[in-house]
């Protein structure tokens, strides 16, 4: 509880200090410069996040396509195996009927 009180007092003190500094023209310029740098930083982080997200979405789409192709190939192989099994069972029966 004591730590929380110190935290709240620190935040409140920071706001008061920023308000006092902002009243001075030089302090106002300093805070504007800091704000600009923070905005630039957050813009860069946002751009990097969106680029990474697009890259991951592209990889996920590629994996989905490969999985769909593999599933189609497996279905085709299974159909061929079933057809081959039918032919193998039908061939001896046809030989016996002749």
């Amino acid at each position: 509880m004591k730590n929380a009180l110190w935290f709240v007092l620190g935040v409140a003190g920071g706001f008061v200090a920023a308000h006092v500094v902002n009243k001075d023209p030089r302090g106002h310029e300093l805070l504007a410069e800091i704000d600009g740098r923070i905005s630039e930083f957050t813009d860069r982080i946002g751009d990097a996040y969106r680029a990474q997200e697009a890259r991951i979405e592209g990889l996920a789409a590629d994996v989905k396509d490969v999985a769909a192709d593999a599933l189609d190939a497996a279905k085709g192989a299974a159909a061929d195996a079933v057809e081959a099994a039918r032919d193998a069972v039908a061939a001896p029966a046809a030989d016996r009927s002749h």
Side-chain angles (χ1 to χ4, degrees):
M1 188 69 181
K2 187 177 182 180
N3 289 336
L5 175 64
W6 281 111
F7 177 75
V8 170
L9 287 175
V11 170
F15 278 115
V16 169
H19 182 70
V20 169
V21 169
N22 195 35
K23 285 184 177 182
D24 182 26
R26 291 176 299 176
H28 184 75
E29 287 178 22
L30 176 67
L31 291 178
E33 182 181 337
I34 291 171
D35 184 50
R37 287 184 181 191
I38 290 172
S39 295
E40 180 183 349
F41 175 76
T42 56
D43 290 344
R44 286 185 182 189
I45 294 296
D47 291 344
Y49 176 82
R50 285 185 288 281
Q52 187 70 5
E53 184 179 35
R55 181 175 160 254
I56 290 171
E57 286 176 357
L59 290 173
D62 292 345
V63 168
K64 186 177 176 182
D65 291 343
V66 168
D69 292 345
L71 180 61
D72 290 342
K75 285 180 182 178
D80 291 346
V82 168
E83 188 63 33
R86 284 187 186 145
D87 291 345
V89 170
D95 289 341
R96 282 183 268 168
S97 65
H98 287 287

